[in-house]
Amino acid sequence: MHELFEKRWSARGLDSSATISDDDLTAVLDAGRWAPTWGATQPVRFVVGVRGDETFTTLTGILSRGNQPWAPAAAALILVCTRNEPEDENAHTYGAVDLGIATAQMIIQAVALGYVAHPMAGFESAAAIERLQIPAGERPLVLLAIGTLADPSTVDEKIAEKDARERTRLPLEQVAYASRWGHPFR
């Protein structure tokens, strides 16, 4: 496995004084833009806010209670959207798949550039649609925070505690099967 996947983690203790360059932010967005897409439909769109600008302020205003204490310290917030086509099951499903792939690629690009990227589902989608004038037929699904880790001694104790937790994943034999469901791959 590539080391970037091991380095990736959804930290919350971000440095509120750190910034992201336009070149780095563009590279992150390009990584999402070049993600594979079903039928070459390219349904994924980004609403980008950089700390201090109007879009960033709007995005921090739609955060859920659990994300409000830490996400405003990010250098950038990216609202990742895809088409909302419930009448076309394939377009609806694969639009969400495309969004997931784009988000993952953006996260890995951010890590490769030395940042932390934390995807969030904890935001008010309806408020995002209204405040950002997102047109009908689009659906915001992920809010991605990109920033730089802060010194753990400078962040809120609860945030530092969450960030200090050991990262774990289920063992491969519990998630990868062969022959039949539940039968471990190799």
Side-chain angles (χ1 to χ4, degrees), residues 25-94:
L25 185 54
T26 298
V28 169
L29 294 166
D30 272 337
R33 183 173 66 93
W34 280 100
T37 179
W38 172 69
T41 57
Q42 302 180 51
V44 180
R45 300 292 184 268
F46 313 111
V47 179
V48 185
V50 177
R51 190 182 334 100
D53 74 16
E54 181 183 346
T55 305
F56 189 92
T57 301
T58 299
L59 291 171
T60 60
I62 64 167
L63 291 166
S64 69
R65 188 178 52 193
N67 292 324
Q68 286 172 358
W70 67 269
L77 293 172
I78 303 169
L79 184 64
V80 190
C81 305
T82 191
R83 291 196 190 117
N84 188 22
E85 300 183 51
E87 68 286 345
D88 182 341
E89 186 177 342
N90 280 337
H92 197 72
T93 298
Y94 293 113

Side-chain angles (χ1 to χ4, degrees), residues 75-150:
L77 293 172
I78 303 169
L79 184 64
V80 190
C81 305
T82 191
R83 291 196 190 117
N84 188 22
E85 300 183 51
E87 68 286 345
D88 182 341
E89 186 177 342
N90 280 337
H92 197 72
T93 298
Y94 293 113
V97 171
D98 290 354
L99 179 141
I101 296 169
T103 301
Q105 287 193 188
M106 292 164 63
I107 290 168
I108 295 302
Q109 181 65 43
V111 172
L113 293 170
Y115 299 97
V116 172
H118 186 129
M120 300 172 274
F123 66 93
E124 298 173 36
S125 182
I129 290 167
E130 177 188 328
R131 294 177 194 174
L132 295 164
Q133 300 175 15
I134 297 171
E138 301 292 331
R139 63 181 167 152
L141 289 179
V142 172
L143 186 55
L144 183 61
I146 299 175
T148 302
L149 277 178

